[in-house]
Amino acid sequence: MENNQSKMCQILVTSDVHGTILPFHYGNKATDEFGLAKIATKIHQLQDKEPNTFILDNGDSIQGTPLTYHYVKMNKEQTIHPIPLLFNHIGTHAAIIGNHEFNYGTDVLKQVVLESQFPWLSCNILDEKTGEPAFGTPYLIHTFPNGIRMGIIGATTSYIPNWEEPHHIQGLRFTDPIVELNKWVRVIREVEQVDFIAVSYHGGFERDIDSGEPTEPLSGENVGYEICYQVDGIDILITGHQHRHIPSGNINGVHIIQPGSHGNFVGQIELEFVLVQGDWRLFQIKSRLHDLVGIEPDTTILQMIQPYEQETQQWLDQPLGSIEGDMIVHDPMLVRTGDHPLIEWMNHVQMELTGAEISNTALFDNISPGMPNNVTMRDIVANYIYPNTLKVLRLKGKDILEALEQTATYFAPYNGEQIEVNPAFLEPKPQHYNFDMWEGIEYEINISKPFGERITKLTRNGKSFDLEQEYEVVMNNYRAAGGGNYFMFQNKPVVREIPTEVSELLADYFQQKGTIRATLNHNWKVVVE
């Protein structure tokens, strides 16, 4: 409550919404407690209690659901992109550019920026020619109705060139966010009269928040911990990218928060200022995450999105073909401990379309349902959830062995009772998509062995595998760039690539073949001693 001696304001933040608007899953139509329609209601409830409110999205908003995919691929000439349409309605004051904002290329991103009634911030994505921030202003000065002034700077993980298609980021330079943040903090402190400074960083924490011990390879993908120590003069660090639920915390005097993903939570940062010798001084910061359980969706958003949704559902229900046999995922752990017809089929399609002799792919998450006997586009996107394309790399046998050993770290050291997932693949967010399954070779993963020594059998066509021979291997573009700590793939020669997204390739394959038979050659398995 404000009085003559104190003032209050709040920041409401989402991150990694990934196109999630309506409260259900597209793969199976199951309802859930998430999405922008519910977020809008919660934001307006919190805003009614505190009118001194700044509404922010921390990045990765425009990609991730069949609705946003269908819009970009089939509808973008006719209407406004659904994300800026809904952010405008919510009253968003600023958004940060995340890594997935580039999945459809800069033309789509520029369209989104133009259609937004608010700025998209990122201080470290620069125009190669000018050296200036490529998408407008790096920071925003916001004056709350009660007169409190905030400087907020946007930053983005600089690791994007390691994942993204080169033509999607042409003409851009991704620089060290710490260097740029220090520069812009100085500008704000010297030029702008602000009461506090927040940084909204589409990236996460590379170290344990409490101990400071590294929690991942220090590759530069996440530098949130380092920002708190290397950037002087900031009060709040808003993070994302890792999909973590961090309601509150403090690193080196900087207040931190990370509000989950897929529209599950709204982060609330409450700031109290007190009058000290005629100046308003930041006295206290509190934050929390609000879930959306029981929150009613915003009816205006439901009406606004209805035309997009109707077209998306019609597209998803298009019949594509049929399957003889069983490609259903009954247990995701069984899929990852022995060959499965769904994975075998996906690998065979990748090999057939590219001419590669070896292939790898993944079961991307634990809710992938597999394929029913009568297949629609809904079934394709329920299983292949990312806008990946295919690349064929020229690799030596020793690169393949090294990649298999990396894949084998997915399993925790065997406890003699049951096979368990390595916690590194579960925290800070599930990374089941980083366990690859291969076709074109035969291999065994012995999880009784230590990391680095788990591939106890490796052959090709039943013959010994030559570690010095070169092979053409097809994989998705994320993996080909080294994503998931597959550093052995980085900077390897690209023999061929198919720019069409894999989900489209799989759908086209069904339409061409009509009927597909589920097969299983048992070329790999997980074993224990």
Side-chain angles (χ1 to χ4, degrees), residues 243-260:
H243 299 187
R244 296 169 71 176
H245 305 147
I246 303 175
S248 182
N250 191 291
I251 299 175
N252 193 35
V254 179
H255 191 94
I256 62 166
I257 186 172
Q258 190 171 143

Side-chain angles (χ1 to χ4, degrees), residues 215-232:
T215 52
E216 62 187 40
L218 301 179
S219 62
E221 176 181 351
N222 299 298
V223 294
Y225 193 91
E226 191 177 355
I227 286 172
C228 292
Y229 276 93
Q230 300 296 328
V231 182
D232 290 331

Side-chain angles (χ1 to χ4, degrees), residues 257-277:
I257 186 172
Q258 190 171 143
S261 67
H262 296 89
N264 280 297
F265 291 92
V266 174
Q268 180 187 31
I269 307 165
E270 296 177 288
L271 301 102
E272 182 181 1
F273 295 82
V274 295
L275 198 58
V276 180
Q277 297 178 343

Side-chain angles (χ1 to χ4, degrees), residues 406 409-410 421-427 429-432 434-435:
Q406 169 61 29
T409 66
Y410 177 80
V421 179
N422 182 346
F425 285 77
L426 299 174
E427 299 292 339
K429 69 176 179 181
Q431 297 179 46
H432 302 297
N434 284 329
F435 177 76

Side-chain angles (χ1 to χ4, degrees), residues 362-374:
L363 185 71
F364 292 122
D365 61 31
N366 280 351
I367 61 171
S368 295
M371 298 285 189
N373 291 123
N374 295 306

